[in-house]
Amino acid sequence: MSTLWPGTFLDEERLGRPSRRAATAALEAHLSVLKGDPLKAALANALKDAEGLGGQERRFTALAVRELSRHQRLLDLAARTLGHPPGKIGLLEDQTLVRYVLWRRLFCGASWARIGPEVKLPGPVRPRTIKDDLLARMVESPLPEPSMPESVPERLATRYSFPNWLVNRLAELHPEPVLEAMLAALDEEPSLHFRARPSGTRAEVLARLVEEGVAAEPVDVAPDAVRIAEASHRVFETRVMKEGRLQVQDVGSQLIVEACRPLEGSLSGRTVADVCAGAGGKTLALADEVGKAGRVLAGDRSRRRLAQARERARELSLRHVSFPHPLPLEQADVVLVDAPCSGTGSLAREPDQKWKLTAKSVEEFHDTQLGLLEELAGQVKPGGLVVYATCSLLPEENDAVVRDFLARMPDFTVEPLAPLFGPERAVVLCDGPFLRALPSRVPGGGFFAARLRKGQPRQD
């Protein structure tokens, strides 16, 4: 890594259409993020309040909001290098403006002639103390190369805009080339991934997408995964989408569902409990796996998210999906626990979270995850399978949770996942007995899964 500054610019097709109204919405959303709102909520509110934004402008706004959080540390370094450290920029509104114009310069290759109309006074955010000529100088002045941090982890943390504590922790686990590839993958805008339905029909679905003019390609590491290879969202208007043959789902999420399958045979006719169903992405995939002869029992502590899962199951007429409370886990052959976690494997999609996470919060997640597994262990029937999964890259939430659980629940054992994926995919996906999908190797984020089998009772 010879320079800290990016060497390429965002593709204009993926960028959308910059405009003053789009910039205003992006700045308002980033300001809300800095005040503590989740990025998704801040963006949704900004787009709702913005009037007259076209589809391309909305795409630009959404990308810009994520990018301002994604590259926050590097943008602040650029401001310091130009003589305007964030600490001397008093108002949050001013900080958002500085980050925005530097992002347009460094990551979009835009000149002041293009950026100026988007941010010149009056507005686009108020109050404001920075004048237009200062912003213009930030865009037009030469940007020297800053001195490189001495340690490799800090250098990577600066270049890819991550907190030092997180990169230092990951550096303990991975050599420099793997670490940099992971950070680079988490630093990019993620592609749109789908699952072809029903399983085994991916080739047909891809052919139909091509017929409808949508560029798509298979993802090798997951048998039903499809990547949309263009920025347009036309895929949502296709016949194949409206017929329910495609479901938005990350590749790693699809692999976790695959980890629920028997080592031999299929899930057809089985009963699966999805304990942390959320909005129902894995619930729907499991419903396809078990078929109409099987059952999926779904639950979640968030009523709002579970309501989304109910609606999605209803839209697809999946009558073998139910939402009993409490979940009768003793009836399930497989219990999926996609546990609440730090989300470090999903930072490409939710970049604001990397500035909100702390080492202490990771420890708290470990305790929550372990407690959740212990709580349900007694309800799992003998011979039943528990699949524990997270979208975390940290062993405190993955290996350590499994280790501590087995120490407290000796009637459970770990089943290796490699035989399920086969030798070729296992090389990429498995680390010891576990699924460990790293962002540099699996598109769409990082995921972990372990299979925990409950033993049969002893016959004395």
Side-chain angles (χ1 to χ4, degrees):
M1 185 173 58
S2 59
T3 177
L4 287 173
W5 308 131
T8 59
F9 301 132
L10 287 166
D11 180 83
E12 288 197 4
E13 182 186 1
R14 293 194 173 274
L15 186 62
R17 187 168 80 83
S19 70
R20 186 174 182 83
R21 291 181 302 183
T24 299
L27 288 162
E28 291 288 359
H30 185 59
L31 188 60
S32 295
V33 171
L34 296 182
K35 292 178 179 179
D37 290 343
L39 190 151
K40 287 183 178 180
L43 174 59
N45 290 334
L47 289 174
K48 183 177 66 175
D49 294 340
E51 295 183 359
L53 286 184
Q56 292 293 321
E57 289 174 302
R58 294 171 70 88
R59 177 185 300 172
F60 173 84
T61 297
L63 175 63
V65 173
R66 290 189 291 270
E67 288 277 289
L68 292 177
S69 285
R70 183 172 289 135
H71 305 299
Q72 181 173 307
R73 180 172 180 172
L74 193 66
L75 295 172
D76 289 350
L77 174 62
R80 286 196 298 273
T81 303
L82 291 167
H84 303 284
K88 290 186 178 181
I89 302 173
L91 298 176
L92 281 179
E93 287 80 359
D94 293 336
Q95 290 183 26
T96 64
L97 278 167
V98 168
R99 284 178 183 160
Y100 178 83
V101 300
L102 289 173
W103 170 70
R104 292 285 280 128
R105 172 186 178 173
L106 290 175
F107 290 89
C108 306
S111 65
W112 178 246
R114 295 192 65 179
I115 303 171
E118 300 165 18
V119 298
K120 283 181 179 179
L121 286 165
V125 289
R126 306 295 291 269
R128 167 177 169 179
T129 64
I130 293 182
K131 296 182 179 179
D132 291 341
D133 60 347
L134 176 59
L135 294 178
R137 287 198 301 273
M138 286 191 176
V139 175
E140 296 173 336
S141 299
L143 183 60
E145 186 69 36
S147 58
M148 288 278 196
E150 291 185 6
S151 76
V152 169
E154 186 177 354
R155 192 159 64 244
L156 293 174
T158 303
R159 170 60 185 87
Y160 296 107
S161 285
F162 283 82
N164 283 345
W165 74 266
L166 178 57
V167 177
N168 284 329
R169 185 68 187 96
L170 293 173
E172 297 172 3
L173 308 171
H174 305 286
E176 181 182 343
V178 175
L179 175 63
E180 181 166 9
M182 288 173 54
L183 297 179
L186 290 172
D187 210 34
E188 294 178 354
E189 182 74 2
S191 298
L192 191 57
H193 292 96
F194 290 84
R195 178 179 61 87
R197 306 177 63 237
S199 182
T201 64
R202 179 169 67 182
E204 176 196 342
V205 168
L206 284 170
R208 292 191 57 187
L209 286 173
V210 171
E211 288 177 2
E212 296 195 56
V214 175
E217 59 191 23
V219 179
D220 292 339
V221 294
D224 298 315
V226 172
R227 186 181 83 88
I228 303 302
E230 60 180 31
S232 169
H233 285 181
R234 287 181 302 159
V235 62
F236 292 102
E237 302 303 319
T238 60
R239 292 188 300 275
V240 70
M241 184 76 190
K242 292 177 180 179
E243 291 170 6
R245 299 292 301 280
L246 282 171
Q247 176 195 335
V248 176
Q249 190 172 27
D250 279 341
V251 177
S253 181
Q254 296 182 47
L255 293 170
I256 288 171
V257 171
E258 193 176 351
C260 296
R261 294 175 178 171
L263 294 179
E264 296 180 0
S266 72
L267 277 172
S268 179
R270 308 290 184 97
T271 297
V272 180
D274 188 359
V275 174
C276 304
K282 297 182 185 68
T283 302
L284 303 184
L286 288 166
D288 288 345
E289 291 278 341
V290 302
K292 293 181 179 179
R295 287 192 303 158
V296 176
L297 314 170
D300 196 274
R301 293 178 180 177
S302 169
R303 292 184 179 180
R304 178 185 61 81
R305 298 186 72 198
L306 200 60
Q308 294 176 322
R310 289 177 187 270
E311 180 61 21
R312 294 174 75 185
R314 187 194 64 77
E315 289 174 352
L316 292 173
S317 299
L318 298 175
R319 295 182 176 84
H320 55 296
V321 177
S322 61
F323 301 85
H325 181 76
L327 290 175
L329 299 183
E330 68 282 355
Q331 299 177 16
D333 303 298
V334 181
V335 177
L336 172 59
V337 185
D338 186 14
C341 70
S342 64
T344 47
S346 301
L347 293 177
R349 201 168 298 282
E350 299 183 81
D352 59 315
Q353 290 302 309
K354 58 186 171 183
W355 309 116
K356 299 174 181 179
L357 284 173
T358 64
K360 186 176 186 299
S361 64
V362 172
E363 294 176 5
E364 292 170 352
F365 276 119
H366 169 275
D367 295 341
T368 299
Q369 293 150 353
L370 181 58
L372 181 59
L373 279 178
E374 287 186 287
E375 179 183 334
L376 62 84
Q379 304 171 61
V380 176
K381 68 182 181 181
L385 176 68
V386 174
V387 176
Y388 171 72
T390 73
C391 56
S392 174
L393 300 171
L394 299 172
E396 292 88 341
E397 301 178 86
N398 298 333
D399 314 56
V401 171
V402 173
R403 179 198 65 213
D404 294 348
F405 174 73
L406 295 175
R408 300 184 188 188
M409 300 290 172
D411 52 338
F412 281 83
T413 57
V414 174
E415 281 189 356
L417 270 158
L420 187 69
F421 293 119
E424 291 186 7
R425 288 198 297 154
V427 171
V428 177
L429 299 176
C430 294
D431 176 17
F434 306 128
L435 164 67
R436 201 184 310 276
L438 299 182
S440 53
R441 299 172 184 171
V442 175
F447 294 82
F448 171 89
R451 287 167 63 99
L452 306 170
R453 180 74 66 180
K454 188 171 186 178
Q456 297 286 348
R458 292 178 57 182
Q459 301 295 324
D460 294 329

